[in-house]
Amino acid sequence: MHGRLLRYAGLWNSALVAFLLFGCVRLMGAPSVFPGVESDQPADPALVQGVLPNGFGYAILPNQEPRNRISMRLVVGVGSMHESEKERGYAHFVEHMAFRGTEKYPGDSLSKMLERKGIAADHGNEAITSYRYTIYSLDLPDCSRETILLGLDVLHEYATANAFDKKAMEVERGVIQSEKELRGDPSYHLYQARIRHLWPNSRYANRAPIGTMPSIKTCSARQLRRFYRTWYRPERMCIAVVGNLDAGDMRKEVEAVFGPMKASGDAPVEPADFVPAKASASDVTVYRDSTFMGVVLQLEHPSPYPRTDDTHEKRVEWLHQQLAFMMFQMRLEKLSRAKADSFVSPGAYISYPIEGWKQASVSAGTSHDNWRRAAADLETERRRAIQFGFNEQELTRAKAVLKMSYRQAVTSAATRPSAMLSATLTGCLVNGQQFVRPETVETDLSKALEEATLADCRGAFRKEWGVSAPHVLAATNYMAPLNRRDLAEVLNASHSAEIKPAEKQESVSFAYTSFGAEGTLTKHQRIEDLDLHLAEFENKVRLNFKRTDFEADRVDIFVRAGTGRLSQPPDKAGLNILADAVFLQGGLGKHSTSELAELLAGHAISLHFSSGMDGFYLSATCARRDLVLCLQVLAAYMSDPGFRKEAMKDGNAALGGMYSRLMGTPGGPITARSLRVLAGGDCRVGLPEANEAYSRTLEEVKDWVGPQMRQGAVEMSVVGDTDWDEIVGAVGKSIGSLPKRYDHPLQPVDSGLRFRTSMKSPIVYPIGENFRQLALYMVWPVENTGDIHLERRYRLLGELLEDRLRFRLREELGASYYQSATYHYEENSSSFGLFSVYAELPPAKLTAAIACINKEIKEFGAGRISEESFERVKQPFLRLRIDDLRTNGYWAYSVLRDAQLNPARLDAARERGADCASITRAEIESLASLYLQSSRAITFIAAPASNLTFMLNAPEVPVRLGK
């Protein structure tokens, strides 16, 4: 778990990113399914776009990062909105069947062929079905013409040659049923409740893409094929291609592959009620789910948003809206920190949830005891902003944030990844928007941003909320003392109370610009072959640095301080979880979190904190121009953390959210408890019980974390778009000038964490009757020697196991939509590693799934891994490790975070590619025979209580109940 500092001090503002990226492609001459909007902004000049004579659209964009990679997205204009009542879920079922075989690539031959090329299933070859569209994604491992033609051929097969094999369809039917049951999580149900609350009679309220169980169970191959031929037509398709390519050549290839496509029969008619004519009247609704821990309040106002021309005037209007809602968000965040008995995690935003509508929203969480105060405060602040607007201090801060975001988008544009841009192009195509360069946005709106007034923003805020009362939705559990009548009374009472304008706050100056005499280096080593610097300051702070050009105008900083969870008291379970949640939110000794938010407004800085096993991890990302300030903020958190009591409200809210999410999944108890059980109750791994976590205090966190941050040994890494001299100077005036630290250990310290040697299994955890799936988790202990060569082989073995079990459990047995197999280990431990298999599946298929897993484990343990499967899985494994080499995260964390304490990391980086490529099947088979034995398995099951009787009485599945 990571603590985030501030929503608006980070590198990106989500609303702005939506505008910069999706903001304002249109296919010239595009068919109506991809609606075009006339724009007065020029499209990105590098973009080549158009429509083939058969109506098939394309958008092609050259891009250089990552190198030698191409991302493709095929969009088909069909989703659940196009289904009849008897076809519920057909669009989604068709998407699934595309991966089950096509005419040219029957069965699993396509997925295996792509894996041999380095394209892993579910990681480079994926699809998604929404209300309006089905999108197929394919990320190619190189940009050779052979690979490009293969990628286009695969997407052409998805578009025209779905085989609908009857046997495969019966198996996939079970997978989709499993997926539907998993979609029963509380957050998904809440989303559906919101749509029904606002547009109860619309198709959106009654056409979830997953479909209905009767339709899934009864549809035939003939019916799916008919649906496919009706809607999969060239005029309903387009493709976005981004990467290292020549746009003209790619256009010719797209034309050669998709140009001959022909539609069969007459074009289908779009549903008449695709866009709801009106929203429901204002009302109050209470939505209940047993997994919710507190109360979430949402005030919303939907309004029609018909598609119109994209003009500068419209974009300025949008700008005023964003400024207004940003100021309102900032105001709510400040109020949240100031009032201990009100709301937490506020949000204020404009969204576009369904076609033809936009929605103004304000939301927040609160406790069962405080919902009345929270509801009144939310409504009061909404009304205060409508009536009085905002002040100059708030507007100055909001303008600074947007100005920074414009500039950051421009400076980082050269290294935007192709996968992100292909997704962006896809969004522009389906929404009829112009794809523009970030500098075009900056040029277009900078003057309007500078000239925006308080009156402009107040008017925009008022317009979005209209004159009617807001729609109100409260989400909570069945025990909460909350009903719609009482909630309405609270809101009405609040609405009648007198209000005054918001008080202006005095400006503050950053108090942490000097930490003592500038630090000087006592050691410095240049590692030529890796282009690294390793150094140490006089105060014992170690600095490791690498300059990169992977991400323009971005610097990643990673600080490891103290001993982290190695020193966590054994009687204080949950202390690390609470520390993660409150450390940043506690602010600094001289600045509250609210003050810090104002000080950092307009600066591209994002902070994170977490408790690692071997140290506390304080990390940051910033623009190069903000490097000095970013390091000053880090030094301030290390020397003078605030530990303010108001942070506990955010901490408890984070804990509540975490446990609520766990309660919303069948595998929640396994996620929380299994690692701790395997470690013999060691509280440094896994998650604590809720009562343990809530019993931890801020004083305990302060006593544990504070001294280590101020005095503990520090080794830090800096990676990114800067140079060595700049880094030495900036660190020397900040972290390098802090008081002298403790000496570093001579070598990494063993945590003493040990795997339990004897356990009875299965261990069964009862879960709620609302779950129709159970969770199965099987683990095999592995010796963890800390040898990176061995770790790489363990990881490849884990991926081989996942490939085999995905095929058996999903593609043969049809038992599970979600399953995984992996290798996991805890650092700083010589004996805590494990292979694991996890699956969520219907209770009726548990015995078959366990038998299937045991059979495959026996095959692996006997060393029976085919050369074909080994090479097929190895290629995506190698590709991902090559891609890692061009990421700041790999160098900052995996290589440099403690490279002086653990110099073996440098050798590991040097030989990474060669060593991974040298892994042999014989090595993997040897490890499999050593560790993957059925007799060594430890099994965990989380199941609805009604299924426990069956398992307790089944002689082949002896169980003991987990605590």
Side-chain angles (χ1 to χ4, degrees), residues 182 185-186 291 657-677 686-690 764-768 771 773-777 818 838-840 940-944 963:
L182 289 177
D185 65 90
T291 65
M658 179 184 72
Y659 286 110
S660 179
R661 288 190 295 273
L662 289 174
M663 291 174 63
T665 63
I670 292 174
T671 301
R673 300 168 182 166
S674 59
L675 285 182
R676 194 169 169 187
V677 169
L687 297 175
E689 298 296 330
V764 177
Y765 299 110
I767 56 178
F771 292 108
Q773 301 265 304
L774 56 75
L776 171 66
Y777 185 59
Y818 178 72
Y838 179 84
E840 295 177 0
F940 296 84
I941 300 170
K963 295 181 179 180

Side-chain angles (χ1 to χ4, degrees), residues 715-764:
E715 186 163 355
M716 62 182 293
S717 59
V718 182
V719 175
D721 189 9
T722 181
D723 58 51
W724 171 243
D725 291 337
E726 184 175 21
I727 286 297
V728 171
V731 174
K733 294 174 183 177
S734 54
I735 298 174
S737 65
L738 293 173
K740 191 173 183 179
R741 321 293 292 190
Y742 288 139
D743 284 336
H744 296 266
L746 297 176
Q747 59 186 12
V749 178
D750 191 295
S751 65
L753 188 65
R754 298 292 182 266
F755 213 102
R756 284 183 64 175
T757 55
S758 61
M759 291 186 63
K760 295 179 180 179
S761 73
I763 299 171
V764 177

